[in-house]
Amino acid sequence: MQFYPLYPLLYQGLKPLFPQCLWQGNPHQKAIALTFDDGPHPQHTPELLQVLDTYNVKANFFWLGYWVEQYPQVAKAVYNRGHWIGLHGYTHHNFPQLTPEQLYQDLYRTQSAILQACDLNPERRSHFPDVRPPNGLFTPQTLKLLQQWHYRPVMWTVVPEDWVNPGVSRVVQRVIETVCPGSLIVLHDGIYGGQSVAETTKKILPMLLEQGYQLVSINHLWHSLES
């Protein structure tokens, strides 16, 4: 069963209840974030990077620590191109199922994997504060812990459900129909959904650029809310 029609309703309902999360940037600015979850992947991510290079677009990658450790050269290639990096957990465990200590270690281990893969000094750990909970699942306690540990919870605006492989044309249609100023678009470059991520991105980027959207970092969207 596909839940795509429910995501816009879910987004509108949860956004006012949990304002400490980044659900959308400034709705008066045509700046949007293109985000990719579940990577890095040894094939899908390099293919995606080629597309992003072609359009000179910076995207946002929410990584699983386990895959960063498996494919550090891919992770470093993403980082060296200036894309924004966030955390998606170590092995995609739902955060509410973890104890506070397990959650802390899960995120810390993911940050450590990124630092090692990208040849960064440990003091750069604070440069990776953005966290997207796997499956979008969290509780008020989860958010309290993330804030206590100085993480920034990042959610989404546009979820075309590419991980169930509905077809490139359908994913593209869903993105273009629902994107709006400040949107966070969620695609996947991991095992699920990654097979077509490069082709999907190749189709949606010219459409978004033609509509006058600026592709920006998650950090940019956070700051846009301050203006």
Side-chain angles (χ1 to χ4, degrees):
M1 179 178 181
Q2 296 187 18
F3 295 95
Y4 164 74
L6 301 178
Y7 285 114
L9 301 176
L10 187 64
Y11 156 70
Q12 293 296 338
L14 292 176
K15 180 182 176 183
L17 295 177
F18 301 101
Q20 62 269 59
C21 298
L22 179 65
W23 298 89
Q24 181 181 10
N26 190 322
H28 304 294
Q29 299 176 7
K30 295 198 75 172
I32 60 177
L34 184 59
T35 74
F36 300 95
D37 290 1
D38 294 357
H41 187 277
Q43 178 180 348
H44 308 327
T45 305
E47 291 174 350
L48 172 60
L49 286 178
Q50 290 182 9
V51 176
L52 296 173
D53 286 349
T54 298
Y55 289 93
N56 193 28
V57 163
K58 301 303 180 188
N60 305 267
F61 290 81
F62 286 87
W63 280 340
L64 296 173
Y66 175 81
W67 293 119
V68 174
E69 291 179 348
Q70 298 302 307
Y71 306 109
Q73 71 283 3
V74 179
K76 189 173 183 180
V78 174
Y79 178 80
N80 285 346
R81 282 169 165 79
H83 299 292
W84 190 256
I85 308 301
L87 315 179
H88 199 42
Y90 186 75
T91 55
H92 213 273
H93 281 304
N94 293 329
F95 287 173
Q97 295 176 336
L98 303 176
T99 67
E101 177 61 23
Q102 288 173 331
L103 178 57
Y104 180 87
Q105 292 298 330
D106 187 89
L107 296 173
Y108 189 90
R109 190 176 180 185
T110 302
Q111 279 185 331
S112 297
I114 293 170
L115 292 170
Q116 183 171 350
C118 300
D119 293 329
L120 300 174
N121 293 325
E123 57 264 25
R124 298 291 297 276
R125 184 176 296 275
S126 63
H127 289 215
F128 304 97
D130 292 311
V131 176
R132 174 172 282 154
N135 300 311
L137 297 178
F138 62 85
T139 65
Q141 172 68 5
T142 304
L143 299 183
K144 181 179 179 180
L145 290 171
L146 292 178
Q147 290 183 306
Q148 177 182 325
W149 299 329
H150 305 291
Y151 291 112
R152 303 188 299 189
V154 177
M155 298 303 292
W156 30 252
T157 318
V158 179
V159 187
E161 212 171 30
D162 60 324
W163 65 88
V164 297
N165 297 316
V168 170
S169 60
R170 182 164 294 181
V171 172
V172 171
Q173 179 185 11
R174 289 172 175 179
V175 171
I176 299 305
E177 286 180 348
T178 54
V179 69
C180 62
S183 285
L184 283 81
I185 301 170
V186 180
L187 296 173
H188 295 76
D189 63 326
I191 295 175
Y192 300 104
Q195 299 90 335
S196 57
V197 70
E199 184 180 356
T200 299
T201 304
K202 186 176 181 180
K203 290 182 180 297
I204 65 172
L205 278 181
M207 296 180 182
L208 294 172
L209 295 171
E210 184 178 348
Q211 292 182 28
Y213 285 109
Q214 178 187 7
L215 282 299
V216 302
S217 71
I218 292 297
N219 199 47
H220 182 106
L221 290 190
W222 278 113
H223 289 300
S224 75
L225 297 175
E226 301 169 1
S227 58

